[in-house]
């Protein structure tokens, strides 16, 4: 199906697709992948970089005094440097490699919050958090005796900032907020939230899992205290993630894992910790994963994150417009200033039934609560369908989705 | 696998007009089940007469598969003994998971065979099993309680 609308001329998604082997497997013929908010696909360049590590320089980093170990160490640390530059971190050692966004946030919860938050204190989270930026704070509040408070969202899935005055006080020690909602697509005014939090002396942890793949991010400009994101949603392998933290905070923070590599000096009854970032990187790290993340950043940079943002934005605008034309289709979340994830319900067709139907048309969407049950409660739905886009998606794929949704309505209408 | 084999007419009928919907009063067993993967919920209320399921009703929300499976289940187990029902649960599970079973067991499922197509849709197996796992939980809680009283 042709959309009749011209694709963004500065950007050719069809050409980009050629870098992604998943679309060229015979068994995946016709695959329309609209679940990049769950995990992105990976370009050949990333896969090759990981493979090259194992084939050519496989050795443990920071350990061996031989050539391939030195190359492995250099490649691992080069990936850290690329990552630091990519998000505008002031210092390379402020980049801690972890497994995922979830692990990064848990590092802050265990290493920082449990040390510095007490019974008189408050933790402020928003209603639109993914469980990964909610449950660690629920448990931290339970363990420390701190009070957990909520920044509410309105019916458009936007966080009105006029609540901040009444929610923030000297008691607030930490604010946890997502940069871009994984369900609603809302791009939150994190810079303003951070400024307000800093005014009362609170630290802020930002969940950047849905922002770093799609928008230019500058952690210094945002003035974020902690910033977490995952590699696998931005073309890198699974199992590599990043915790950025300001040097002063990382220095006062406790290690979360203890063991090899994270020590400076070891004695029988006590030990001292290594410098940043290695203080937080106990045990053998996911070196191939980090190198893959570096390759993903190179790939993104070769296109330009601004170009990717424009492409995502034009797809999202187009999809919102086309989806609106479908009767009984309800879109959750804001109509503008949003990331490329669109959650919706279609009449009384359950999201799961809809996803199965679309899968028969080779269209992969997500259905369910998207690990954000508070959002589901707020909008009074048990589950939604979600289509999310990335640099390899095209408008004609969106046309195919719209066509299939109209067909699905016909198919399921015989039920009513 | 064609979609129509998953969404068979009998499944759509039970989804449209579920049987035994709404919760019994004075139930001997009340049990809730959730599918954390998709947010589907179900509540069962069972009235026993000795070891026989005299009546059973359900309430809940979810996709066509989970709702139809619950509705078909309530119809099927009414009047059966707990022992028979436990055997039926295991037979049903085998079917939707696509595991081998004897022809006698399979035939015994009767209308429930309409859910056979689920085995071709691995992500939907949990939907079909929600009501059955909830039932099993309720029966076992009851049996454990009984054993505790003895």
């Amino acid at each position: 199906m042709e959309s009749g609308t011209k694709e963004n001329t500065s950007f050719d998604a069809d050409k980009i697709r050629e870098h992604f082997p998943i679309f060229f497997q015979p068994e995946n013929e016709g695959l329309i992948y609209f679940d990049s908010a769950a995990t992105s696909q990976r370009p050949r360049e990333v896969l090759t970089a990981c493979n090259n590590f194992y084939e050519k320089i496989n050795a443990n980093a920071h350990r061996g005094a031989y050539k391939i170990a030195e190359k492995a160490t250099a490649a691992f640390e080069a990936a850290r440097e690329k990552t630091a530059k990519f998000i505008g971190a002031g210092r390379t050692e402020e980049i801690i490699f972890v497994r995922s966004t979830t692990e990064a946030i848990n590092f802050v919860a265990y290493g920082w919050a449990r040390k510095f938050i007490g019974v008189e204190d408050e933790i402020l989270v928003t209603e639109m958090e993914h469980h990964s930026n909610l449950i660690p704070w629920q448990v931290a509040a339970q363990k420390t005796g701190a009070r957990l408070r909520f920044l509410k969202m309105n019916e458009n899935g936007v966080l009105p900032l006029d609540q901040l005055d009444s929610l923030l006080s000297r008691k607030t020690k930490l604010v946890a907020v997502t940069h871009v909602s994984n369900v609603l697509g809302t791009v939150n005014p994190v810079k303003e939230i951070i400024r307000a939090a800093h005014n009362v002396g609170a630290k802020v942890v930002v969940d950047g899992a849905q922002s770093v793949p799609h928008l230019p991010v500058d952690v210094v400009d945002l003035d974020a205290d902690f910033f977490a994101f995952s590699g696998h949603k931005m073309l890198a392998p699974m199992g590599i993630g990043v915790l950025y933290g300001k040097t002063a905070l990382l220095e006062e923070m406790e290690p979360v894992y203890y063991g090899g590599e994270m020590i400076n000096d070891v004695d029988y009854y006590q030990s001292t910790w290594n410098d940043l970032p290695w203080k937080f990187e106990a045990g053998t790290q996911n070196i191939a994963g980090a190198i893959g993340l570096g390759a993903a950043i190179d790939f993104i940079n070769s296109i330009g994150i601004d170009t990717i943002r424009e492409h995502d934005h034009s797809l999202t605008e187009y999809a919102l417009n086309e989806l609106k034309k479908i009767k009984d289709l309800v879109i959750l979340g804001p109509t503008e200033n949003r990331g490329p994830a669109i959650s919706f319900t279609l009449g009384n067709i359950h999201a799961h039934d809809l996803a199965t139907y679309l899968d028969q048309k080779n269209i992969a969407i997500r259905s369910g609560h998207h690990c954000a049950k508070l959002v589901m409660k707020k909008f009074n739905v048990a589950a939604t369908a979600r289509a999310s886009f990335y640099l390899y998606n095209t408008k004609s794929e969106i046309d195919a989705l719209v066509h299939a949704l109209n067909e699905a309505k016909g198919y399921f209408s015989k039920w009513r | 696998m064609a979609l129509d084999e998953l969404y068979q007419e009998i499944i759509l009928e039970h989804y449209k007009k579920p049987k035994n919907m709404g919760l019994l009063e004075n139930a001997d067993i009340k049990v809730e089940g959730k599918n954390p993967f998709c947010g589907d919920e179900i509540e069962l209320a069972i009235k026993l007469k000795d070891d026989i399921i005299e009546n059973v009703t359900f309430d809940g929300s979810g996709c066509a598969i989970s709702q139809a499976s619950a509705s078909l289940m309530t119809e099927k187990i009414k009047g059966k003994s707990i022992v028979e029902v436990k055997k039926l649960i295991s037979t049903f599970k085998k079917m939707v998971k696509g595991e081998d079973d004897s022809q006698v067991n399979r035939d015994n499922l009767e209308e429930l065979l309409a859910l056979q197509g689920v085995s071709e849709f691995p992500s939907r197996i949990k939907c079909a099993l929600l009501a059955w796992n909830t039932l099993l939980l309720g029966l076992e809680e009851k049996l454990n309680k009984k054993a505790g009283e003895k």
Side-chain angles (χ1 to χ4, degrees), chain B residues 6 17-18 28 41 44-46 74 77 85 91 99 107 131 134 147:
Chain B
L6 177 66
K17 293 189 187 111
D28 297 298
E41 292 176 353
L44 295 175
I46 299 166
T74 55
I77 64 173
V85 168
T91 307
E99 293 168 7
D107 292 346
T134 307

Side-chain angles (χ1 to χ4, degrees), chain B residues 2-149:
Chain B
L3 213 52
D4 290 345
E5 287 175 53
L6 177 66
Y7 295 118
Q8 292 192 18
E9 207 56 46
I10 184 165
I11 292 177
L12 304 189
E13 283 303 317
H14 278 263
Y15 180 50
K16 266 193 287 194
K17 293 189 187 111
K19 301 274 166 53
N20 308 308
M21 189 89 168
L23 293 180
L24 280 174
E25 281 179 26
N26 310 320
D28 297 298
I29 301 175
K30 272 194 166 173
V31 59
E32 287 176 48
K34 278 187 185 182
N35 181 349
F37 175 60
C38 61
D40 285 1
E41 292 176 353
I42 193 172
E43 208 177 334
L44 295 175
I46 299 166
K47 184 82 191 143
L48 292 173
K49 190 176 186 187
D50 301 321
D51 275 348
I52 305 291
I53 293 180
E54 193 179 53
N55 200 359
V56 50
T57 60
F58 81 101
D59 200 359
S61 65
C63 65
I65 303 299
S66 76
Q67 297 299 291
S69 181
S71 173
L72 282 159
M73 180 187 85
T74 55
E75 286 285 274
K76 182 77 178 171
I77 64 173
K78 234 184 262 183
K80 289 203 159 47
S81 73
I82 290 181
V83 176
E84 284 174 306
V85 168
K86 283 183 83 169
K87 183 155 185 244
L88 189 66
I89 294 172
S90 127
T91 307
F92 181 79
K93 279 189 173 185
K94 277 188 178 165
M95 177 189 74
V96 295
K97 288 179 173 176
E99 293 168 7
D100 289 341
D101 204 353
S102 71
Q103 200 55 47
V104 183
N105 282 345
R106 260 307 128 86
D107 292 346
N108 195 29
L109 288 170
E110 298 171 318
E111 309 80 42
L112 293 170
L113 287 167
L115 284 158
Q116 199 160 12
V118 171
S119 65
E120 300 288 328
F121 293 81
S123 69
R124 307 304 299 275
I125 292 172
K126 278 183 183 163
C127 311
L129 287 183
L130 177 62
W132 297 80
N133 282 331
T134 307
L135 173 65
L136 187 62
L137 182 74
L139 293 178
E140 282 183 345
E141 275 175 1
K142 183 74 184 174
L143 291 175
N144 286 343
K145 220 168 144 191
K146 246 180 157 176
E149 281 163 7

Side-chain angles (χ1 to χ4, degrees), chain A residues 105-164:
Chain A
I105 293 168
N106 274 281
F107 264 50
V108 182
Y110 280 91
W112 191 86
R114 292 207 188 173
K115 185 171 176 185
F116 294 106
I117 292 179
V119 71
E120 299 288 315
D121 298 331
E122 294 180 356
I123 301 170
L124 181 63
V125 302
T126 88
E127 268 184 324
M128 70 168 74
E129 296 311 309
H130 186 283
H131 296 161
S132 65
N133 204 22
L134 170 66
I135 317 299
W137 308 120
Q138 277 182 356
V139 177
Q142 287 159 10
K143 298 281 180 194
T144 59
R147 178 181 174 199
L148 189 64
R149 302 190 73 181
F150 285 89
L151 193 61
K152 306 270 189 198
M153 60 181 158
N154 65 19
E155 65 282 359
N156 296 322
V158 171
L159 299 170
L161 294 189
D162 53 7
Q163 322 160 66
L164 282 174

Side-chain angles (χ1 to χ4, degrees), chain A residues 353 356-357 360 369 411 415, chain B residues 1 4 7 12 16 36 64 124:
Chain A
D353 293 318
T356 295
Y357 185 89
Q360 296 298 297
H369 56 59
Y411 183 83
W415 298 14
Chain B
M1 167 119 191
D4 290 345
Y7 295 118
L12 304 189
K16 266 193 287 194
R124 307 304 299 275

Side-chain angles (χ1 to χ4, degrees), chain A residues 60-125:
Chain A
N60 217 328
H62 299 296
R63 283 160 175 82
Y66 47 87
K67 283 189 221 60
I68 54 169
E70 278 160 6
K71 284 182 186 166
T73 304
F76 182 55
E77 293 303 328
R80 194 189 308 276
E81 224 172 295
K82 280 178 196 171
T83 308
K85 281 209 183 90
F86 190 64
I87 61 161
R91 300 167 180 210
T92 305
E93 63 267 27
E94 291 176 325
I95 300 297
I96 316 293
F97 283 128
V98 292
R99 266 191 300 158
S100 59
T101 306
T102 299
E103 190 172 60
I105 293 168
N106 274 281
F107 264 50
V108 182
Y110 280 91
W112 191 86
R114 292 207 188 173
K115 185 171 176 185
F116 294 106
I117 292 179
V119 71
E120 299 288 315
D121 298 331
E122 294 180 356
I123 301 170
L124 181 63
V125 302

